[in-house]
Amino acid sequence: MAGLYIHTPFCTQKCSYCDFFSAPPIGNQLKTWHLLIQHNLELIATELSPEIDSIFFGGGTPSLLTPDQISKILASCYKLFPISTDAEISLEANPATLNNEILTGFHAAGINRLSIGVQSFDDNNLHLLERKHSVK
Ligand code: SF4
């Protein structure tokens, strides 16, 4: 069994405490990112084709991608690799990027687990961390 890790290195702003590589998208980068991922998956699949039991969208902020983009990336995964029927398909999400419509779209696209970057349940701490969401 193996897992696929799919990276989205974009964030709307750089948090002061963050050591991960990420930057605001430039030009059309966010709109075309899924095409680059799909191309990379095709390249990987020419060399490796293990059974996949987990797919993880990490970042950066992969929840900046649209449900349609996630759906297209997952369609490539299912086309190119044998995916377990009970595979865990996770998406890292920044609360500031989520609403009911987007969450419904991610679920419909095939996401079955969210990793939500809450960071704190104290608004003072969220302000200190320059996060855009509140405890509410
Ligand atoms: S949103 Fe997350 S990944 Fe992006 S800069 Fe902030 S802590 Fe880092």
Side-chain angles (χ1 to χ4, degrees), residues 6-11 14 21-25 33 37 58-62 64:
I6 298 172
H7 194 71
T8 300
F10 306 120
C11 294
K14 190 69 191 169
F21 174 77
S22 65
W33 188 247
I37 294 290
T61 308
L64 288 174

Side-chain angles (χ1 to χ4, degrees), residues 1-2 23-24 33-34 45-46 50 68 77 80 101 109 113 124 126:
M1 291 289 187
W33 188 247
H34 66 290
T46 62
D68 184 56
C77 294
L80 296 166
E101 184 184 352
R113 179 177 175 273
N124 292 324
L126 290 172

